[in-house]
Structure formats: C-alpha cells, structure tokens
C-alpha cells in the first residue's frame, strides 16, 4: 500500500523529484520516491503473476479492426498512477531547465486535442499520420534503456528495471494502463511543416 506522499530525501535536504529519482539506487529507494513501502512495491512487481496483472480484451476501431486493451488490476493501476505523477513532474523539470516548449500534446496535463488543433488553425492543409502498432514498439528494453542512457535521467540500472517492469506488460507498453509517462519525444524541426504529436497520431 502507498505510504506518505513525501518524497525520498537521500541527502537530508529538499531535492527535486527528478533528483530524488536519480539518487535512487534500488527498489527500496524507488519505493520511497513513489510513496510506497518496499515490501508492497516488491509484491506488486515480483509476486503477482504477470498473467494476473492485467485483464485483456478487444474493442473495435472506428476505421475497422480491433484494438487490444490491457487493463491493469486496481493495485497495479494505483502504482502506475503514482509512477505517472512522478514522471510528469520530472518531465516538467526537464522542460523548464532546458526552456523547452514541448511539441507533444499527448499524455500531458496542460495539453489536449484542443491545444493540438490550435497549432493548425492557419494551416491550409493538415496531414494526420497514425503510427501503426505504436504502443507495442515501445518494449521493456527501450523503456529501461532510455531511463539509463538519456542525459536528463541517467537512472541507476536497477531503478530503471523496476520502472520498466511497472510500465510494461508482455514486453510492450500496454494500451489501457494509466502510466506513461516521460515518453521518448522526437524533437523535429522543419520550416515546411510542424509535427504535433498526440501519442500515435502526428498531424503536420
């Protein structure tokens, strides 16, 4: 079960959420950052069988075919929401530090389909590209590797592993989970077009 929402302060001082995460070196440290007891986090990650963590079902797509939804059980969903909150705050810190205005309009608290559409009000034409099977291409290794190697994160390998275990199911990013997060964003600059992401939809 989650404990206090106070973040882990490994040096005894007031650190940012990103600093707390970067200073974490183990599952126990990550549990403190997430506001969980280590035993509770370990139980969800390691003791609940993977087959019992999600309910999988299909929903029809507007354009035909079906979309596979993997809905996490309540205990995992709560954990993923805690992780999502932490990663949102980290992304906000990173954007602020670099004075970046994010291009992505998906999975951001201040962005929506309305802010996405606003970018194209004066455009004569708008091309919308839907990336096929976007979520399954974000696998466990990509999530873990990004958190370890990205210059803004550079997390301890053990911490990155646990985060990837929380976020992924069957070695991919599931549709239906409330987790993610600090995505790997493509910063694309072009004089002719302006791509503005809505997750797997990219208008130009």
């Amino acid at each position: 079960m989650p404990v206090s929402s106070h973040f882990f302060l490994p040096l005894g001082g007031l650190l940012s959420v990103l600093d707390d995460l970067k200073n974490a070196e183990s599952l126990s440290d990550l549990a403190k950052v997430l506001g969980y007891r280590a035993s509770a986090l370990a139980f969800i990650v390691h003791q609940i069988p993977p087959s019992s963590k999600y309910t999988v079902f299909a929903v029809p797509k507007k354009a035909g075919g079906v979309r596979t939804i993997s809905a996490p059980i309540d205990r995992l969903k709560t954990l993923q929401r805690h992780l999502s909150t932490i990663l949102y705050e980290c992304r906000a810190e990173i954007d602020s530090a670099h004075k970046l205005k994010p291009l992505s309009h998906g999975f951001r608290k201040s962005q929506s389909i309305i802010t996405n559409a606003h970018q194209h009000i004066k455009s004569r034409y708008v091309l919308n590209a839907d990336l096929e099977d976007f979520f399954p291409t974000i696998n466990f290794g990509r999530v873990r590797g990004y958190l370890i190697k990205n210059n803004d994160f550079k997390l301890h390998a053990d911490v990155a592993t646990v985060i990837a275990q929380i976020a992924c199911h069957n070695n991919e990013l599931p549709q239906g989970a409330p987790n993610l997060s600090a995505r790997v964003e493509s910063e694309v600059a072009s004089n002719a077009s302006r791509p503005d992401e809505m997750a797997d939809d990219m208008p130009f």
Side-chain angles (χ1 to χ4, degrees):
M1 295 294 293
V3 292
S4 169
S5 60
H6 294 296
F7 294 119
F8 180 34
L9 304 178
L11 300 180
L14 183 59
L15 300 178
S16 71
V17 175
L18 181 57
D19 285 336
D20 288 341
L21 195 58
K22 292 170 76 170
N23 285 331
E25 297 182 349
S26 65
L27 181 147
S28 295
D29 291 345
L30 178 61
K32 293 176 184 177
V33 177
L34 292 171
Y36 272 71
R37 293 186 178 88
S39 58
L41 178 59
F43 178 81
I44 297 172
V45 173
H46 298 302
Q47 298 302 317
I48 300 177
S51 60
S52 300
K53 290 181 178 179
Y54 290 84
T55 298
V56 181
F57 56 93
V59 296
K61 294 182 179 180
K62 290 182 179 180
V66 297
R67 186 187 310 277
T68 300
I69 301 297
S70 300
I73 60 174
D74 288 343
R75 185 176 290 185
L76 177 57
K77 183 188 296 184
T78 299
L79 173 59
Q80 290 175 337
R81 283 176 174 160
H82 279 249
L83 174 61
S84 178
T85 298
I86 294 297
L87 293 178
Y88 269 125
E89 294 190 35
C90 289
R91 173 51 58 188
E93 287 185 38
I94 293 167
D95 288 348
S96 177
H98 294 299
K99 295 180 171 56
L100 295 176
K101 183 178 179 181
L103 293 180
S104 173
H105 290 257
F107 303 115
R108 288 182 175 272
K109 292 180 180 179
S110 61
Q111 308 290 76
S112 67
I113 57 174
I114 296 175
T115 61
N116 180 50
H118 182 75
Q119 305 295 319
H120 306 282
I121 288 177
K122 296 182 180 180
S123 300
R124 185 173 182 181
Y125 300 104
V126 177
L127 170 66
N128 189 69
D130 187 352
L131 301 179
E132 185 176 6
D133 296 328
F134 170 75
F135 284 89
T137 66
I138 310 299
N139 58 33
F140 179 94
R142 290 185 67 181
V143 174
R144 181 179 181 273
Y146 172 78
L147 293 172
I148 294 172
K149 297 177 182 179
N150 179 268
N151 288 331
D152 292 313
F153 283 95
K154 287 191 175 296
L155 301 189
H156 190 283
D158 291 348
V159 173
T161 298
V162 176
I163 290 176
Q165 289 172 324
I166 295 170
C168 296
H169 175 58
N170 288 340
N171 195 37
E172 65 185 43
L173 203 60
Q175 294 190 68
N179 32 338
L180 296 168
S181 43
R183 302 174 321 284
V184 181
E185 293 183 3
S186 297
E187 298 294 339
V188 182
S190 171
N191 293 327
S193 63
R194 175 188 172 87
D196 294 283
E197 277 187 85
M198 279 296 300
D200 54 347
D201 292 312
M202 298 182 66
F204 296 83

